[in-house]
Amino acid sequence: MKKILLIVCLALLCQSCYVHQYTYGDGAQVGIEATKKQHNFLGGLVSGDTPDVKELANGEDNFEVTQKFTFIDYLISSVTFGIWNPTTIKVVR
């Protein structure tokens, strides 16, 4: 039983918070932020609705998009045993 618990704890600790950042046009100009969650299921194999970054940027041509798997997203994923894996998308214009 202790070995199984140790393996589960190690598996949970080996996950990391990944970050992807994209720059459109000249990047953020004003510093106004908009954040939305993207919902993924079954360990990320199935994706829900993807937020429209152009809508989050209010139609601006210059903005930055950051997609993160935050600590809160990690906790939600751990509690649901990987059935629901949200990621956070932040747009700065």
Side-chain angles (χ1 to χ4, degrees), residues 22-29 53-65 91-93:
Y22 309 98
T23 301
Y24 292 89
D26 293 330
Q29 302 292 316
V53 294
K54 201 68 160 154
E55 179 184 309
L56 289 172
N58 282 343
E60 296 286 331
D61 291 330
N62 302 315
F63 58 93
E64 293 179 1
V65 178
V91 174
V92 181
R93 55 185 168 106

Side-chain angles (χ1 to χ4, degrees), residues 17-22 33-40 49-51 53 56 64-76 84-91:
C17 299
Y18 63 84
V19 177
H20 298 281
Q21 189 167 10
Y22 309 98
E33 297 181 5
T35 305
K36 209 163 198 185
K37 292 281 188 190
Q38 178 177 355
H39 304 286
N40 305 301
D49 292 335
T50 303
V53 294
L56 289 172
E64 293 179 1
V65 178
T66 305
Q67 180 180 6
K68 293 184 189 180
F69 188 66
T70 63
F71 181 73
I72 300 299
D73 298 336
Y74 170 75
L75 284 178
I76 292 170
W84 177 33
N85 304 88
T87 54
T88 304
I89 297 177
K90 179 173 77 170
V91 174

